[in-house]
Each structure stands twice: as C-alpha cells, then as structure tokens.
Amino acid sequence: MTSPIQVSSVFQYHNSFAAFEASVTIGALVYASLNRNGLWTNAVATGIASISLNGVIFSGSRGALALWLVTMIITIIGLRGFQEGHFYRTRFMLHSFLTVVGTMVGYVLIHKGIVHTNPLCGWLGISLSLLIPMSLSTFICLVKPVRHLLFSRFSKSLWTYISVCVLITVVTIVVKHHALLDKLNTYKIQQLSVSQRFVFWWDGLKIFIRHPLFGYGKGGWNALFMRYQYYPYYSTQSHSFVIDTLIEVGLVGTLALFVTAWPMIRGTFWGYFSSVEFVRSSGRKMSRHAAVVSLSSISFMLLVHSFMDWDMAFLYLQLVFCMGIGAGAGLNARQLSIPNITRKQKPIWLIGVVTLGIFSMGGIYLSSVNIRANALIDKAQSLGDYQMRLSLLQSAESIVPYRADIVQDIAVTEAHTLQTGNVPPSAQTQISRSVLANLEKASDKAQYDYNIASQAATVAYQMGQYDNAYQYALRAFADAPFVSSSVSLAINASTLDGLQSQAHSDRANRAFNNSLALFNEYKTRYRVVQNLPSYLPPERAYILDDFCYDSLAASSLITGHTREAGIFAAQATKSQTKHTVDVGKMIQLIISNHSIASTPVIQFVATHPDVESSFQLLTKFLP
C-alpha cells in the first residue's frame, strides 16, 4: 500500500488531533506516576496513554510526535521538584515503557486492520493497546518482588532504568519494523508543510513589527497576510499560536498571557508540592493533587505544540488550555480549596464579578445579534429575487452595521440587478454609483481586504471612471501584491486614464509613468516567484492579463520608450484574444513606420474595426 493512512476525527485537522492525543498521553502518565494509591485508576490511565499514543502515530503528524518526546523529557525533569522526585520519575518511566509496549502491539494490529479493511483486527489492536498496559501495571503493583525490584533497586539509578527501557524499545521496533529508517528519511525540512511554516512565521513577524505593542486586534493575520507574504500562497492561519497572539494583541497581550500561564509552565518544569503537602497526603487528596498536575501537563503540551501550529483556533482546545492554566494556578497554592475572603477584599471581588458579568452580557448580546444577522443573510442567499435579497441584506446591515461582508454582499446584489437587464437606462447610472459607494463603505470597514478594493476597481472601470479604477486597483495591489489581477487592472486603468486626459498634460504623463512603474514592481515580485525552490511552489499563477501588454506598449510609446514598446507589443500578439492581438499589431506598425498616420497603419485600422477606439485615443499623443 503506497498511499498514506488517513485517520478521520472530529478535530478536522490531523495536527490538532495529534496535539490533543499527545497531551492526553502525557497527562495520563503524569497522573499514573503521582497517584501512588490508585491501583485501578493508574492502570486505566496507562491504558488510555497507550491508545492516545497510537492516535498520535496514526495522525501522521511528525511535529506532534517530536514535540511529545521533548515534552516527555521536560516532564521527567519537572518531577525532580517533588520530594522523592527520583521515585516519581521512576514511576513515570515505568508507565511510559508500559505505554510504548501496548502501543506497539496495538499499532501492528490496527495498521493491518486499516490496510486490509479488517474491522475485527483493528478493534483487537485497540483493545490490546488498552488491556496490555493495564494488565502489566496491575501485575507490577500487586506482585511485591517485582515492585521492590523496579522501585527499590532502580529508583535511585534513573539513567540505568531509562537505558534499559530505550534498549528494549529499540530492539522491539527494529524486529517488527525494519523499514523504520526508510520512514525517517522521508522527514525532510524541504517538505512543503515544513518549509511553508517558516515562511508563515517570518511573514507573521513582519506584520507584528508594524504594531508591536498592542497589535492589530482579532483576525490580524487573516486580514494582513496577503499584504506581507513572501510569495503567492493562501493560508487563513499563521500556524503558530504565539505569532497569532503577537499579531492580535502585541507584546503587552502576549506578556499578559504568559504571566497568566506561568504557574502552569512552572508546575510542569518543577513541581510545587513539598513532602509535607504531597508525600504525606493520601487517598482522595493525593488523587486530586495528581489530577491537577496532570491537567497542567496536558495544557503545557498543547502550549508547546501551538508554537508551531494553529491548535488554539479550535474552541475545545482553547477550553482545555484554559483549564490547564487554572490548574497551574492551583498548583501554586498551599491548598486547593478557595481561601476565605476578608471584609476588605469583598468590594474588590464584587467589582471584579460585576465587571466580568457586564462583559459577559455584552458578549452574549453581540453573539445574539450576529446570529440573527446571519439568519437573514442565509435566507437572502437562498432567494432568486434580487430585490427581496437586497431588502433582507439591508435589514441585516441595520442590525450589525460594523460588518464589512454584509455591505459587500449588498453591493454585489445591486451589481447583479444591473446584469438582469430589467433595470431602465435612467436608473443604471444611479445603481452603479450605489454599488461603488457601498464598496467604498465596505472597504473603509475592512481596510486591508484586497477583494473589496478589487471589486470597486472593476465597477469603476466599467463605469469609465478610470482614475478611480486606478486608485482602487492600486489599493488592492498594495493589500495583495501577489494577486496579478489587481496589478493588471491598475495598469490598464492607469493607461486608459492617461489616454482620456488632455494630451501631454501632467495628469496624462503621470498616468503613463504610473503604469510603467507598476510593471516594474510586478517584475520584482515575478522574479521572486521564478526563483522559488521546487519544494515551495506558488499556490496561484502570477501572470499579467494579456491586454496589459497593449497598455504598457501604449504607455512606453507615448513616453518615448520605443524599444520597450515594441517588446510589449510583441508579447501582446501572443495572446489568444483577437482584440489584444490586433491592438498589439497596430502598435508594431506604428513603431515600424514611425507615424500613426502612415498608410499601413490607416489600412490596418480600416480592416480591423475592433482597434478603432484605441487608434483614436492614440492619435492625440502620437505624430
């Protein structure tokens, strides 16, 4: 079987699924290690760790597996902070080894079940992944000689124990999977997913340094990544929770986040509990302590993985992360119970609770009005009558006037009414102006959305407002310089604006020079695309519209760059569009005959009426 195994889950994204499973694995192992009195709960926790580790492997996420190993090492180090830390680290290594044994046995059967579509084999593998670690853990705890050997003889020689576990694991893997090295050789940094992450992070930092203190607010990456991207790609996520946080709330917000999360991080690196508080505790109290440390470890693993991926875009992972932060705060306390509030502290607590309640009610209100607006939008999109659709969209805008997407939908709907042919000529100009006004309004609400500016440029171009079309297209080009349609429209609009201006006026000369300057900017970025490594292909073509070369040829010819005009005209004649080819040939004839009024040019225009309008525009500027 050559195709990779794909595992479906409710997580929608295999790396986030792997991060969650890796976090559960570590949390279960920490719980089983610290809870000395829970025979059956520890066995179940070890079995859960084994199944979760299989989930990490089958997810296909190499990064999650590597970071899981790193976090395991950090967790082992962190257990030193506990009284009798060597004892708990030994227990952690023991349960880790049992987990790996169960995982390997289960993996073979689950893999066979998937490859050969054998559900019985797959379920047997899952069952053994759970039962083998549980049975071994129970056996070790119940048989005193074995327990004494492992915890008394090896507990003070941790590295010997680690060496034995690693040796047995490696031998088992080599015996069962001789192709392991071939698999490892496929993990190269030149792979697309790995290489793109470095590009995303670098582009994210470029966005961050523009507003480093307080950031851009929610959705900063999604609004700005096309403005700062290194090459043509599309990604709604920066693939780093930290980069996203820096972009959205800046250094101040990021520092606040890590200050809040510090007890959780500190608790994982170095345990808080002393001998008096932890070692002497028993029964439920010890189980509770172990559960709190376990939850903190789960949150820490999610945080580590989120440095290189967008796990926190999923609300359920955010919830687990916040629960871990709360558990970390509890680790820093002498007791896990809520302390008594003094009379002096009551006003402060009351103010805090009231403020939180106000913000919560505000959030509930905003969510409710957005839900209502979305319902109107969905209903509008399902209607075929544009007037009724427009009425519903306008109602939605009155509910949430701050949303640019609704204003954009209104403009698009108005544009569709023009295309139906049912609008009288007297109203067409008014509706076109309304479309342009709404797009301008939407653009003000979403200042970095190139799509809105591009639509506005197209409408202005169709209305003959070439100066406005150029300005809108230039804004779209600034917001998304690697979208070739924006620069194509800007070049055409600028050239036409110059051709319709007074001959040899400053406005005309500025328009022609702007057209050529835009092409030079395009060339700079085109060279970047051409020089991309093979493992980093652009996700969309970066090629100008064919008619742009006619516009560039005209601008070059008028500004006295005859040689460049000939090159552009020759490029235009390679187009598949007849009008583009004919205009290019006409400009070639003007260059070769040194006059627009020469007989060959006049004859060509007479036999090709599609170039008549272009010929008339050029006669104002050329002898």
Side-chain angles (χ1 to χ4, degrees):
M1 182 176 178
T2 56
S3 60
I5 296 173
Q6 299 294 329
V7 178
S8 299
S9 78
V10 296
F11 287 83
Q12 304 171 351
Y13 180 51
H14 73 112
N15 282 337
S16 294
F17 168 71
F20 178 78
E21 293 285 37
S23 301
V24 171
T25 302
I26 290 180
L29 291 174
V30 168
Y31 180 82
S33 304
L34 296 180
N35 187 20
R36 302 172 62 174
N37 300 319
L39 173 63
W40 302 110
T41 54
N42 291 351
V44 171
T46 309
I48 291 173
S50 177
I51 292 178
S52 298
L53 184 56
N54 256 323
V56 177
I57 296 172
F58 278 107
S59 71
S61 176
R62 301 177 297 273
L65 188 58
L67 290 176
W68 173 77
L69 292 171
V70 172
T71 309
M72 288 283 286
I73 295 172
I74 293 173
T75 305
I76 294 172
I77 297 172
L79 290 173
R80 288 190 59 178
F82 292 91
Q83 185 74 15
E84 300 181 6
H86 59 276
F87 174 78
Y88 293 108
R89 286 188 295 162
T90 302
R91 287 175 58 90
F92 184 85
M93 286 302 306
L94 172 64
H95 288 287
S96 299
F97 177 68
L98 299 180
T99 295
V100 171
V101 171
T103 298
M104 289 190 298
V105 174
Y107 173 82
V108 175
L109 293 171
I110 297 171
H111 183 275
K112 184 177 180 181
I114 294 175
V115 171
H116 299 287
T117 60
N118 187 340
L120 181 61
C121 190
W123 281 111
L124 180 61
I126 292 175
S127 301
L128 291 178
S129 289
L130 177 67
L131 295 176
I132 288 177
M134 287 180 61
S135 302
L136 292 175
S137 175
T138 304
F139 173 77
I140 291 171
C141 291
L142 291 178
V143 180
K144 187 174 181 180
V146 177
R147 186 171 70 249
H148 176 75
L149 174 66
L150 293 175
F151 296 127
S152 297
R153 297 283 300 277
F154 284 162
S155 62
K156 295 183 179 180
S157 182
L158 177 65
W159 294 110
T160 301
Y161 189 78
I162 293 175
S163 301
V164 172
C165 291
V166 170
L167 179 61
I168 296 175
T169 303
V170 170
V171 170
T172 306
I173 291 175
V174 170
V175 170
K176 294 301 297 182
H177 296 284
H178 53 80
L180 179 63
L181 292 179
D182 293 336
K183 182 68 175 177
L184 291 176
N185 286 333
T186 64
Y187 299 162
K188 298 178 181 179
I189 196 172
Q190 288 84 4
Q191 290 176 329
L192 178 62
S193 62
V194 178
S195 304
Q196 276 191 326
R197 274 175 168 76
F198 291 112
V199 175
F200 296 163
W201 299 340
W202 179 249
D203 290 344
L205 290 175
K206 288 192 292 186
I207 297 172
F208 156 68
I209 60 175
R210 304 291 295 183
H211 288 280
L213 287 180
F214 299 103
Y216 285 91
K218 182 67 175 176
W221 164 266
N222 204 20
L224 291 163
F225 79 92
M226 297 190 76
R227 187 182 183 94
Y228 294 97
Q229 62 185 182
Y230 170 68
Y231 79 102
Y233 64 79
Y234 185 81
S235 175
T236 58
Q237 305 290 339
S238 69
H239 285 261
S240 173
F241 172 58
V242 177
I243 296 293
D244 272 336
T245 305
L246 286 170
I247 292 172
E248 293 180 358
V249 295
L251 285 172
V252 174
T254 305
L255 181 62
L257 170 68
F258 279 95
V259 167
T260 305
W262 172 246
M264 176 268 294
I265 299 172
R266 161 72 169 79
T268 304
F269 269 102
W270 200 272
Y272 282 108
F273 296 127
S274 65
S275 59
V276 174
E277 187 176 0
F278 187 77
V279 176
R280 292 182 180 177
S281 55
S282 60
R284 292 183 179 180
K285 189 173 183 180
M286 175 172 284
S287 178
R288 184 170 61 177
H289 286 332
V292 172
V293 180
S294 171
L295 187 55
S296 181
S297 301
I298 290 174
S299 183
F300 180 76
M301 174 64 210
L302 286 176
L303 177 63
V304 170
H305 188 267
S306 69
F307 271 72
M308 54 165 286
D309 225 321
W310 50 289
D311 307 326
M312 299 306 169
F314 297 94
L315 293 179
Y316 38 83
L317 293 183
Q318 284 188 34
L319 176 62
V320 174
F321 177 65
C322 291
M323 289 171 63
I325 290 179
L331 289 175
N332 198 19
R334 285 287 179 179
Q335 296 179 349
L336 296 181
S337 58
I338 300 176
N340 295 324
I341 302 174
T342 64
R343 181 174 297 179
K344 292 182 179 180
Q345 292 173 334
K346 283 184 178 180
I348 300 175
W349 279 85
L350 182 61
I351 292 172
V353 170
V354 171
T355 303
L356 181 62
I358 292 172
F359 277 106
S360 299
M361 293 301 295
I364 292 172
Y365 172 76
L366 291 176
S367 297
S368 64
V369 296
N370 272 284
I371 291 172
R372 183 182 174 192
N374 289 334
L376 290 173
I377 294 170
D378 292 339
K379 185 176 180 180
Q381 299 300 338
S382 65
L383 297 176
D385 189 324
Y386 288 116
Q387 291 300 326
M388 294 180 63
R389 182 185 297 183
L390 188 61
S391 176
L392 288 174
L393 289 173
Q394 288 171 342
S395 298
E397 184 199 6
S398 65
I399 297 173
V400 282
Y402 49 84
R403 283 180 53 174
D405 61 318
I406 299 178
V407 182
Q408 184 182 8
D409 286 344
I410 291 173
V412 171
T413 303
E414 289 176 333
H416 284 161
T417 60
L418 291 174
Q419 298 171 1
T420 60
N422 299 325
V423 180
S426 58
Q428 290 181 2
T429 303
Q430 182 179 356
I431 294 177
S432 297
R433 289 175 179 171
S434 176
V435 172
L436 199 58
N438 279 319
L439 287 173
E440 177 67 25
K441 184 179 177 182
S443 183
D444 290 339
K445 295 177 185 296
Q447 297 182 9
Y448 301 105
D449 191 333
Y450 87 94
N451 189 37
I452 297 175
S454 180
Q455 285 183 330
T458 302
V459 172
Y461 190 89
Q462 293 170 346
M463 293 175 62
Q465 299 181 12
Y466 298 115
D467 183 37
N468 284 338
Y470 166 73
Q471 296 298 332
Y472 287 127
L474 193 63
R475 185 190 302 180
F477 178 53
D479 291 334
F482 280 105
V483 176
S484 56
S485 60
S486 299
V487 66
S488 296
L489 188 58
I491 289 172
N492 289 331
S494 182
T495 301
L496 282 171
D497 182 48
L499 289 172
Q500 293 196 337
S501 303
Q502 184 177 353
H504 309 296
S505 63
D506 290 340
R507 175 176 175 176
N509 291 332
R510 183 171 61 251
F512 296 133
N513 288 325
N514 286 340
S515 178
L516 298 174
L518 280 171
F519 178 73
N520 289 330
E521 289 188 47
Y522 163 79
K523 282 198 305 182
T524 300
R525 290 178 170 82
Y526 182 75
R527 282 193 291 268
V528 172
V529 176
Q530 291 296 102
N531 294 325
L532 287 172
S534 58
Y535 56 84
L536 204 63
E539 295 187 11
R540 56 180 176 271
Y542 193 56
I543 301 173
L544 288 178
D545 176 71
D546 290 340
F547 191 74
C548 276
Y549 292 101
D550 285 330
S551 298
L552 291 166
S555 295
S556 299
L557 189 60
I558 293 171
T559 55
H561 301 90
T562 306
R563 178 176 174 276
E564 288 77 4
I567 295 173
F568 289 132
Q571 182 66 31
T573 59
K574 299 177 183 179
S575 174
Q576 300 296 318
T577 306
K578 182 179 182 301
H579 176 66
T580 301
V581 173
D582 290 345
V583 173
K585 288 181 178 179
M586 180 185 70
I587 293 176
Q588 285 181 321
L589 284 173
I590 295 172
I591 294 172
S592 60
N593 290 276
H594 306 289
S595 174
I596 194 172
S598 63
T599 302
V601 175
I602 300 299
Q603 291 176 345
F604 182 84
V605 174
T607 57
H608 296 80
D610 61 314
V611 302
E612 176 67 32
S613 59
S614 300
F615 174 78
Q616 294 297 333
L617 289 171
L618 288 171
T619 53
K620 295 192 303 180
F621 297 89
L622 298 175

